[in-house]
């Protein structure tokens, strides 16, 4: 019995027990359902072992939506707790766990997965490639992310959630102040998911640099591909810092080292320093793909080419370098001297310049365009004003001396939500509506889509604008309650109403997916938006091999010019196509990773060693395995192309 | 025969052995902490460069510019991170 005590949740409440039962029943229902419908084989062959970038993208998408709901419920709980003064819906400890989980889930397991989903699905298609450079590694990336996310999520019912904030600052996150295993979960699950991200980074840089269609020089790449390239570059340079910091934190917690302790030569602020050396580039990892998505959608629906392509490229390259030069703005109040703060203050403000250039470019693309307000376009246009408010308040925060006033208040919370929600979430939803027909061969309902936009746009403003005021009035972030005499009540109530509208918006999106899956017409063309880049030049849904004949590119808007100027994209005849084989090893290897993480969380060394041996065996298997892929014959290509409605010219 | 003998690699091998010996000497020879750290840092960076250029064949393919750009970018970020951290946590504190 003693052995099992460690798995108990430290401060159980009725809700936690209820969720345990709910999770148990759901798992059982899924298992029984799959068995009953005899879907195990299908699941294994088509999904768990797949190395196809499109299917991996779709799995990221499903995971991101699941995580959106987990994080969203957390958000609603926090807003409900603070909606009225002196509320007792959540106690202080529960509130700590909820905001920590919310932050980690939303940034690392929702936003990152959403970015990965669209990058995986779209980039190879946009550059006219058959898959990514290392398809097997791509599957490994996904499963690492997935297992990391699952490991993090079970902390809620086994052993207790982390409670020291998504930033997990030491010494608070050390054993002395966080004795439960929660923070172990934080360190290990983010470590596992982070490895996956790092691998994706390398994979996509190679893919984009090496596998572009003939004729597509770097300056003829679509803007989304450019942003994917730069994003992955930032990933490769930023994530190792996180990896090292997490490893050090893990050792502090599990093995009694003193990297981040206050005694024995440790330095607690070193954690904060490392965290933000990664953390600030991370926010740009999230925002750049979003910028790329807007740069695809806005020209498509303004019916003009993107204004200032070159300056767009230069500004994202500038952002990528600058994003590594500003991290100290997250702890201006640590106590370092005025010189240091001034340096980072200025570099932070400098970042607003290339960002501004991009905003003006989008505005100038809209200028004189024949704008068509589809759902994707509504989100893209709605992004501009709301994001600008978030960005401008960022510049206010960037003034070090003023930041002493704003730091750790609700003002900061308002800032980052007003950049991240229009910046990342709007973009992902817009991208979802835009690329959905390419993914699944039917369109999402526009009426429901527009309704969701209005609920979400109004919801965001209602939820976060009041925080500017209550923050300036002195409401600190991460406080579970406040007294009536502070006068914060009204602002928090408005905020709660906004949060509820956001929830309605997201439910509308999910309902839209259900509704369109059942009722939408399957009879659509492969280019329903009259778009401009290569992904629209192949069939919807896309065949395994993406393009029957590798396209040849002559101009920046290759597909548009093929339609309007008669450039010929597909020359020659079908040839045999070489494709990679599926493999179950990445999935199995990541199950071992999950086991390893779980064992380390609870310091179960024997299990950890067994799991580690499992991981190395999978790697050895890969090194010794002979796998030459398979070939798709010309006949098969001809048959597939005919079934999909005829060859592409 | 001349073309077959990997002279560059053999020389690189000896050079990297030499670098290792110098770094190892830091442990045996008595010197101040600052000098020791400087020697270690310099030999480490040179060592990494030798590995990249000689043994991992950076610069021998058509797209060597993209390899070198990435390497320079990486060095830039590494230096910024190290010296930036020193600046905020020690020198400017
Ligand atoms: C216009 C450019 C921007 C500037 C000048 C800026 C400036 C700042 C500053 C100075 C802080 C720290 C404030 C404090 O802790 O007191 C901050 C926090 C933050 N910013 Fe921004 N920011 C900008 C854009 C963005 C973007 C585009 C994102 C995300 C997509 C973002 C996400 C965040 C997050 C998540 C935090 C707070 C994290 C935390 O403490 O939990 N910012 N920003
Ligand atoms: Cu930042």
């Amino acid at each position: 019995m003693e052995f099992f005590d460690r798995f108990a949740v430290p401060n159980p409440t009725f809700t936690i027990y209820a969720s345990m039962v709910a999770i148990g029943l759901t798992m059982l229902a899924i298992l029984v359902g799959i068995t009953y419908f005899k879907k195990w084989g299908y699941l294994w062959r088509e999904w768990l072992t797949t190395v196809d970038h499109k299917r991996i993208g779709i799995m990221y998408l499903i995971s991101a939506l699941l995580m959106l709901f987990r994080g969203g419920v957390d958000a609603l709980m926090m807003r409900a707790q603070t909606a009225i003064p002196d509320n007792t819906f959540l106690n202080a400890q529960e509130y700590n766990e909820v905001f920590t989980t919310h932050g980690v889930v939303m940034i690392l397991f929702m936003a990152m997965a959403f970015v990965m989903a669209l990058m995986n699905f779209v980039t190879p298609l946009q550059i006219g490639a058959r898959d990514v450079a290392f398809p097997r590694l791509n599957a490994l990336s996904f499963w690492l992310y997935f297992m990391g996310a699952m490991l993090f999520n079970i902390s809620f019912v086994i052993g207790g959630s982390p409670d020291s904030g998504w930033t997990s600052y030491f010494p608070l996150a050390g054993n002395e102040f966080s004795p439960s295993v929660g923070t172990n979960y934080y360190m290990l699950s983010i470590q596992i998911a982070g490895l996956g991200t790092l691998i994706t980074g390398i994979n996509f840089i190679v893919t984009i640099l090496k596998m572009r269609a003939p004729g597509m020089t770097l300056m003829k790449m679509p803007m989304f591909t450019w942003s994917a390239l730069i994003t992955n570059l930032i990933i490769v340079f930023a994530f190792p810092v996180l990896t090292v910091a997490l490893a050090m934190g893990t050792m502090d917690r599990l093995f009694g080292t003193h990297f981040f302790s206050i005694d024995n030569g440790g330095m607690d602020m070193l954690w904060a320093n490392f965290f933000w050396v990664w953390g600030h580039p991370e926010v740009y990892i999230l925002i750049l793909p979003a910028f790329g998505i807007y740069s695809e959608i806005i020209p498509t629906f303004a019916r003009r080419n993107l204004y200032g392509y070159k300056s767009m490229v230069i500004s994202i390259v500038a952002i990528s370098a600058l994003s590594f030069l500003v991290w100290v703005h997250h702890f201006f109040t640590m106590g370092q001297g005025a010189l240091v703060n001034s340096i980072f203050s200025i570099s932070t403000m400098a970042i607003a310049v290339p960002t501004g250039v991009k905003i003006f470019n989008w505005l100038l693309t809209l200028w004189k365009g024949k704008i068509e307000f589809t759902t994707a376009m509504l989100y893209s246009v709605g992004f501009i004003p709301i994001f600008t408010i978030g960005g401008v308040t960022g510049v206010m925060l960037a003034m070090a001396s003023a930041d002493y006033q704003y730091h750790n208040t609700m003002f900061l919370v308002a800032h980052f939500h007003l950049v991240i929600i229009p910046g990342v979430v709007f973009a992902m939803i817009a991208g979802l509506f835009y690329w959905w027909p390419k993914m699944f061969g039917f369109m999402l309902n526009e009426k429901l889509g527009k309704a969701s936009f209005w609920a979400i746009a109004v919801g965001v403003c209602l939820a976060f604008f009041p925080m500017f005021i209550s923050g300036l009035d002195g409401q600190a972030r991460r406080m579970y309650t406040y007294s009536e005499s502070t006068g914060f009540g009204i602002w928090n109530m408005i905020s709660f109403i906004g949060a509820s509208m956001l929830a309605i918006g997201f439910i509308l999106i999910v309902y839209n997916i259900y509704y369109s899956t059942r009722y939408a017409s399957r009879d659509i063309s492969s280019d329903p938006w009259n778009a401009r880049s290569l992904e629209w030049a192949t069939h919807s849904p896309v065949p395994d091999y993406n393009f029957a004949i590798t396209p040849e590119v002559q101009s920046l808007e290759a597909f548009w010019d093929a339609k309007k100027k008669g450039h010929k994209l597909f020359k020659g005849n079908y040839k045999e196509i070489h494709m990679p084989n599926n493999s179950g090893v990445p999935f199995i290897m990541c199950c071992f990773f999950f086991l390893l993480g779980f064992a380390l969380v609870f310091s179960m060394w024997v299990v950890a060693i067994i799991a580690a041996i499992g991981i190395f065996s999978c790697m050895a298997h890969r090194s010794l395995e002979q796998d030459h892929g398979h070939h798709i014959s010309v006949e098969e290509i001809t048959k597939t192309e005919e079934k999909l409605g005829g060859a592409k010219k | 025969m001349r073309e077959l003998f990997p002279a560059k690699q053999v020389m690189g091998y000896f050079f990297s052995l030499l670098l290792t010996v110098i770094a190892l000497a830091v442990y045996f020879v008595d010197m101040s902490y600052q000098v020791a750290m400087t020697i270690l840092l310099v030999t480490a960076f040179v060592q990494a460069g030798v590995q990249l250029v000689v043994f991992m064949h950076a610069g021998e393919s058509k797209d060597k510019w993209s390899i070198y750009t990435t390497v320079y970018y990486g060095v830039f970020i590494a230096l910024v991170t190290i010296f930036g951290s020193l600046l905020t946590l020690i020198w400017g504190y």
Side-chain angles (χ1 to χ4, degrees), chain A residues 107 166-167 276 280 283-284 286-287 329-330 332 348 351-352 355 387 391 394-395 397-398 403 406-408 412 415-416 419-420 424 477-478:
Chain A
I107 299 236
W166 85 280
T167 48
W276 290 115
H280 189 85
V283 305
Y284 280 91
L286 296 177
I287 196 85
H329 67 219
H330 291 277
F332 279 144
T348 303
I351 256 199
T355 315
F387 179 82
V395 178
L397 291 163
D403 187 56
Y406 310 133
H407 185 59
N408 273 353
L412 163 73
H415 153 68
F416 71 74
V419 280
I420 289 188
V424 184
R477 74 191 287 203
R478 297 177 176 170

Side-chain angles (χ1 to χ4, degrees), chain A residues 232-254:
Chain A
N232 286 293
L233 205 69
I234 305 182
I235 287 180
V236 168
F237 290 113
F239 267 75
V241 180
L242 179 70
T243 305
V244 169
L246 288 170
M248 289 158 85
T250 309
M251 288 204 267
D252 267 15
R253 289 189 57 89
L254 296 183

Side-chain angles (χ1 to χ4, degrees), chain A residues 248-299:
Chain A
M248 289 158 85
T250 309
M251 288 204 267
D252 267 15
R253 289 189 57 89
L254 296 183
F255 306 122
T257 54
H258 287 274
F259 292 112
F260 305 129
S261 60
I262 4 188
D263 48 3
N264 291 319
M267 190 186 244
D268 50 343
M269 279 314 286
L270 187 60
W271 166 271
N273 184 67
F274 281 157
F275 185 87
W276 290 115
V277 168
W278 161 79
H280 189 85
E282 165 67 16
V283 305
Y284 280 91
I285 292 169
L286 296 177
I287 196 85
L288 287 182
F291 285 174
I293 293 171
Y294 293 133
S295 304
E296 297 292 328
I297 292 177
I298 291 177

